[in-house]
Amino acid sequence: MASLVAKVKSFGKRVIGQPEDPVPVVTVKDWVQDLSRDPKRDALRYVESLFPIVGWITRYNFGWLYGDVVAGLTVGIVVVPQSMSYAQIATLPTQYGLYSAFVGVLIYCLFATSKDVSIGPVAVMSLTVSRIIASVNERHPDVWSGPQIATTVAFICGFIVLCIGILRLGWLVEFIPAPAVSGFMTGSAINIVAGQVPGLLGETGFDTRAATYKVIINCFKFLPVTKLDAAFGITGLVSLYLIRIVCDQMSKRYPRRQRLFFFLSVFRNAFVIVVLTIASWLYCRHRKSKSGKYPIKILQTVPRGLQHVGPPVIDRDLIAAMAGELPVATIILLLEHIAISKSFGRLNGYKINPNQELIAIGVTNTIGTVFGAYPATGSFSRSALKSKSGVRTPAAGILTAIVVIVALYGLTPAFFWIPSAGLSAVVIHAVADLVASPRQVYSFWRVSPLEFVIWLASVLVTVFSTIENGIYTSICASLALLLVRLAHPRGYFLGRVTLHEEKTAVVREVFVPLTERPGVLNTAVKVEPPPPGIIIYRFEESALYPNVSMLNDALVDYVKTHMRRGKDMSQIKMSDRPWNDPGPKPGRDENADNLAKPVLHAIVLDFSGVSHIDTTGVQALIDTRTEVEKWANKPVEFHFATILSPWIRRALIAGGFGTGVPSSQMPTEIAPVVPYRGGRTLPEKRPQSDIEAVGDISEETEAPIVPEDTPLFHFDLVSAVKAAEAGLNRASEMSTRSSLQKGTFTGTTEASD
């Protein structure tokens, strides 16, 4: 029975092409075991990670409390006027901004991994909500109210982001680079500022939701019909900037009182709104027209308290109507928050968990719909304020929530007289800081001109089209650039430079590109090419199906240009040449040119920059070996240096590399798309490798640093080149010995004659 099982196993191995004596490699079982050594413990840690508050609430102390109270109250004073202003951008009643602010800061602190981020209504998300409301109402007029549309957006987008976080797919956000984020944020900020200028000046009669350039043009056209609102709006905007500038200058002049001036600057939003509200009350209270209108536009009645608590009304028809708008809303929701939280994490020396942050945003928006909130995400201005106020833990959000709920239940009568122009001033003042500074834009150009182009394209598309198109442009352009870089990686043929350290008298060898790289290497340094017959090549990208053809082309073209052809083609007729071989140019001695080139012996591939290799990559290496050996008309050694991934080693061994087995005994296709039944098969038994082929293993070493069954795999590039040179020397000695024996045999024959 045992022999039958063995025969069946042997037959199965022959069917699938597995060698009888395979080289030990990493297995799928090893990969599964590495995923989780202790599943129960990992599951418990996963559940604990969903509630980061458990990790720090037990260590809460009075020292932290002071910082949290100051920061929480400070942010609360700012978030009240800002949230009402952003609700206006979203074309919603102002109380919905307060609902979003209350739920955002309260729920987020339970799930947050960032102490600095403040959640609530933001300008870009509010503008996106307004566009979704306008789009739905245009196609389905008077079917759904604006608040219902906004809360549905919050529920669906929040649920999507929550699922992304739970499934640990936060790495998807990394595909959108910083220049793309900055580009659409800058374009969006310009869009929002332009849309708020009519409200600031009291201009009416044109669409403030049109393309940014149209709004800017109309703002100038309608200047003659500016209303009294401009007196309140311009005064408020100028006051906001004056207070900030004066406080900044005084902080520099009196460093000891810097914190005092900081808080005076922080309260400028609340101070300006209070002053403008009092002025509005004094001016408008006796000037109500018979139709119930006032001389300027004011908020008027703001409902007291949480008026819309209850289960959200989710209409399937509404979801279908706005399905096309949901992707961009979801992208803004998660992208803006992750960018802000990472930024403040770097600034304050801690690391956020992107997946957990997505869970926090998802839960906040999903639960927020119970209170009638519209989408909320991280606010850059309020997060910066929170950080500068000395926040110690996410619990500061509880204090901010208290301020918001006090405003909802106690200050709504005073909100009646707030001038809309004053809220527009607050929005413009807050959003203008989101525009990228010239220094930041120049940094994009210095680091990567192509990414600067992406930034510029995103801004221009946002200004001349819509925010949605600007986001899609930046994302698509970034992904296109990523694919181009992946499909066209850099690769260099290397030479040797010997370094001498004077103090330690240490001599070491490094390998650098043979061609001059401006600014990388001193032009006075002489790069020594490898010995004739040896090629050293470094591929600086994973060997994957989009780019491996370039690896093949680079090596094969170099071999055909610089290495000797094994066959003497000068004696072959043109009719016998391949159709794609044009032959020598008239007047050229093809054989003489060929004999002047060295005989190819080995190709050394530096895999230090290769993190992955796929089936197409292995096939490309097999094709390369086949082509260069056909050109040289002899076996060519392929040495691999710095293979640190066991899966790359496994793939290369599957392709017949590293073991020293002649390529004539290896298949020419690793996984043919259309199998050729007449091809060669794998050898049943792997021959023992020649101990001399193992590169530079000292006799004093107890065990080699790499396994002996793969003598052509080397730990570093130096040992790989030395092994190739050793093989070249042995080949030269054998060739010389063979020539001498041939000469001796010829002389003996002549003497006997």
Side-chain angles (χ1 to χ4, degrees):
M1 184 65 181
S3 60
L4 179 61
V5 172
K7 290 181 180 179
V8 171
K9 287 184 177 180
S10 178
F11 176 75
K13 289 182 178 180
R14 287 197 299 271
V15 170
I16 65 175
Q18 181 181 355
E20 291 290 342
D21 185 20
V23 176
V25 294
V26 66
T27 64
V28 176
K29 181 180 178 181
D30 298 328
W31 177 76
V32 172
Q33 290 178 346
D34 288 339
L35 288 178
S36 177
R37 298 290 183 182
D38 189 348
K40 291 183 179 180
R41 183 188 62 184
D42 292 341
L44 181 61
R45 287 181 177 178
Y46 174 76
V47 174
E48 290 178 351
S49 69
L50 297 177
F51 302 94
I53 189 173
V54 177
W56 56 266
I57 194 64
T58 55
R59 296 180 286 112
Y60 203 83
N61 53 70
F62 285 103
W64 292 359
L65 180 62
Y66 173 76
D68 288 344
V69 169
V70 173
L73 295 178
T74 303
V75 174
I77 293 172
V78 173
V79 75
V80 171
Q82 275 194 0
S83 59
M84 291 191 294
S85 304
Y86 293 150
Q88 283 195 327
I89 297 177
T91 62
L92 295 171
T94 52
Q95 65 268 23
Y96 285 91
L98 295 173
Y99 300 160
S100 296
F102 168 71
V103 178
V105 294
L106 183 63
I107 302 299
Y108 176 72
C109 69
L110 304 176
F111 301 91
T113 61
S114 171
K115 68 180 179 65
D116 300 294
V117 175
S118 178
I119 302 299
V122 296
V124 179
M125 194 72 228
S126 298
L127 182 60
T128 303
V129 169
S130 73
R131 293 187 181 279
I132 294 175
I133 293 174
S135 175
V136 173
N137 286 334
E138 182 180 354
R139 287 173 290 169
H140 306 276
D142 302 325
V143 178
W144 301 285
S145 65
Q148 183 181 355
I149 297 172
T151 53
T152 302
V153 172
F155 183 85
I156 299 300
C157 293
F159 185 75
I160 293 173
V161 173
L162 176 62
C163 292
I164 293 174
I166 290 176
L167 295 175
R168 293 299 192 252
L169 298 177
W171 51 269
L172 293 172
V173 182
E174 307 298 337
F175 281 97
I176 307 176
V181 177
S182 175
F184 92 80
M185 290 292 290
T186 298
S188 300
I190 296 173
N191 186 302
I192 293 167
V193 169
Q196 290 300 305
V197 169
L200 184 80
L201 302 178
E203 296 176 342
T204 57
F206 61 92
D207 183 13
T208 59
R209 310 294 174 187
T212 306
Y213 76 98
K214 292 182 180 179
V215 176
I216 295 173
I217 293 173
N218 287 327
C219 285
F220 287 104
K221 282 184 177 180
F222 283 78
L223 280 177
V225 296
T226 298
K227 297 179 183 178
L228 187 60
D229 300 72
F232 290 83
I234 294 176
T235 301
L237 184 61
V238 172
S239 299
L240 288 170
Y241 277 105
L242 279 177
I243 294 172
R244 187 173 76 173
I245 293 171
V246 170
C247 289
D248 289 346
Q249 293 299 321
M250 295 300 287
S251 297
K252 295 178 181 178
R253 188 171 182 178
Y254 302 102
R256 293 183 179 180
R257 300 182 179 179
Q258 186 175 3
R259 192 165 181 80
L260 172 64
F261 290 115
F262 166 73
F263 283 108
L264 288 176
S265 178
V266 164
F267 295 143
R268 65 184 181 273
N269 285 330
F271 173 76
V272 168
I273 289 297
V274 169
V275 172
L276 291 179
T277 302
I278 294 173
S280 170
W281 174 71
L282 292 173
Y283 181 77
C284 297
R285 59 176 177 162
H286 300 307
R287 290 180 170 85
K288 185 176 181 180
S289 65
K290 293 181 180 180
S291 60
K293 294 184 178 180
Y294 291 92
I296 62 172
K297 186 178 180 181
I298 58 177
L299 290 186
Q300 300 189 33
T301 303
V302 177
R304 180 176 180 269
L306 299 169
Q307 297 286 328
H308 303 280
V309 177
V313 179
I314 307 299
D315 191 333
R316 292 183 179 180
D317 294 334
L318 175 56
I319 296 175
M322 63 182 183
E325 312 287 345
L326 291 176
V328 69
T330 305
I331 291 172
I332 293 174
L333 193 70
L334 60 89
L335 189 61
E336 189 170 0
H337 177 77
I338 294 297
I340 291 171
S341 56
K342 282 188 174 182
S343 175
F344 284 99
R346 289 192 300 266
L347 184 65
N348 294 312
Y350 62 88
K351 188 176 181 181
I352 64 138
N353 183 345
N355 291 307
Q356 182 59 32
E357 288 297 315
L358 294 180
I359 291 174
I361 287 292
V363 172
T364 299
N365 283 277
T366 305
I367 295 179
T369 57
V370 176
F371 296 86
Y374 76 95
T377 187
S379 166
F380 181 82
S381 59
R382 296 195 298 272
S383 298
L385 175 61
K386 191 176 178 182
S387 177
K388 291 179 181 179
S389 298
V391 65
R392 302 300 298 274
T393 71
I398 298 174
L399 276 300
T400 303
I402 292 174
V403 174
V404 175
I405 205 69
V406 168
L408 266 170
Y409 279 93
L411 299 179
T412 48
F415 294 162
F416 184 95
W417 300 101
I418 295 178
S420 297
L423 294 180
S424 295
V426 171
V427 171
I428 293 173
H429 181 65
V431 172
D433 292 336
L434 297 179
V435 177
S437 65
R439 183 184 297 271
Q440 181 182 356
V441 175
Y442 180 61
S443 297
F444 293 150
W445 173 262
R446 288 187 63 192
V447 174
S448 175
L450 287 176
E451 290 187 318
F452 167 78
V453 173
I454 292 176
W455 178 89
L456 183 61
S458 179
V459 173
L460 292 178
V461 171
T462 303
V463 169
F464 288 96
S465 182
T466 63
I467 290 180
E468 292 83 356
N469 291 337
I471 293 175
Y472 289 139
T473 298
S474 62
I475 293 176
C476 292
S478 300
L479 292 178
L481 179 60
L482 177 65
L483 291 176
V484 169
R485 286 174 172 171
L486 178 64
H488 296 80
R490 289 186 295 266
Y492 304 109
F493 291 95
L494 305 179
R496 178 185 296 148
V497 173
T498 304
L499 303 180
H500 302 269
E501 297 185 11
E502 297 180 358
K503 295 182 179 180
T504 59
V506 174
V507 179
R508 60 191 181 95
E509 296 177 345
V510 296
F511 292 86
V512 298
L514 287 171
T515 56
E516 184 177 340
R517 312 299 300 176
V520 176
L521 195 66
N522 192 332
T523 54
V525 175
K526 182 180 179 181
V527 181
E528 178 186 352
I534 295 178
I535 297 173
I536 309 172
Y537 187 76
R538 175 181 294 149
F539 194 62
E540 295 191 346
E541 185 57 77
S542 293
L544 304 174
Y545 65 90
N547 59 32
V548 286
S549 61
M550 296 193 65
L551 172 63
N552 174 272
D553 293 343
L555 290 174
V556 173
D557 292 347
Y558 188 89
V559 167
K560 290 184 177 181
T561 304
H562 298 89
M563 295 295 162
R564 184 185 302 178
R565 193 168 190 170
K567 290 183 179 180
D568 182 6
M569 301 297 292
S570 61
Q571 305 299 324
I572 297 179
K573 300 178 181 179
M574 289 296 296
S575 59
D576 295 332
R577 288 178 178 269
W579 63 272
N580 58 349
D581 184 359
K585 295 181 180 180
R588 294 288 299 270
D589 188 346
E590 183 180 12
N591 191 40
D593 293 341
N594 187 47
L595 292 176
K597 299 176 182 178
V599 176
L600 177 62
H601 171 74
I603 295 176
V604 180
L605 296 177
D606 181 5
F607 264 39
S608 59
V610 178
S611 59
H612 297 282
I613 188 169
D614 60 10
T615 304
T616 310
V618 175
Q619 182 60 54
L621 289 175
I622 294 175
D623 295 341
T624 302
R625 179 178 61 189
T626 302
E627 291 185 63
V628 299
E629 289 186 347
K630 184 177 180 180
W631 176 268
N633 200 29
K634 62 184 289 291
V636 176
E637 292 182 1
F638 274 73
H639 294 261
F640 294 84
T642 326
I643 299 177
L644 301 181
S645 168
W647 292 96
I648 295 179
R649 180 177 180 272
R650 170 187 168 123
L652 292 175
I653 291 174
F657 293 97
T659 60
V661 176
S663 60
S664 59
Q665 300 180 28
M666 290 294 169
T668 56
E669 289 187 299
I670 183 67
V673 178
V674 180
Y676 175 60
R677 300 300 181 186
R680 293 172 290 183
T681 58
L682 287 170
E684 293 189 359
K685 288 191 177 182
R686 181 171 52 87
Q688 296 293 326
S689 59
D690 184 3
I691 192 65
E692 292 181 350
V694 181
D696 271 6
I697 299 176
S698 174
E699 294 179 359
E700 300 177 359
T701 306
E702 295 182 359
I705 196 169
V706 293
E708 293 185 357
D709 48 16
T710 52
L712 300 184
F713 291 162
H714 309 274
F715 186 73
D716 60 1
L717 187 56
V718 174
S719 60
V721 174
K722 287 184 177 180
E725 291 175 346
L728 178 63
N729 294 334
R730 287 195 301 272
S732 300
E733 291 175 0
M734 292 178 62
S735 177
T736 303
R737 192 180 307 151
S738 176
S739 299
L740 291 175
Q741 291 176 353
K742 184 177 180 181
T744 304
F745 177 76
T746 304
T748 305
T749 304
E750 290 177 353
S752 62
D753 289 342

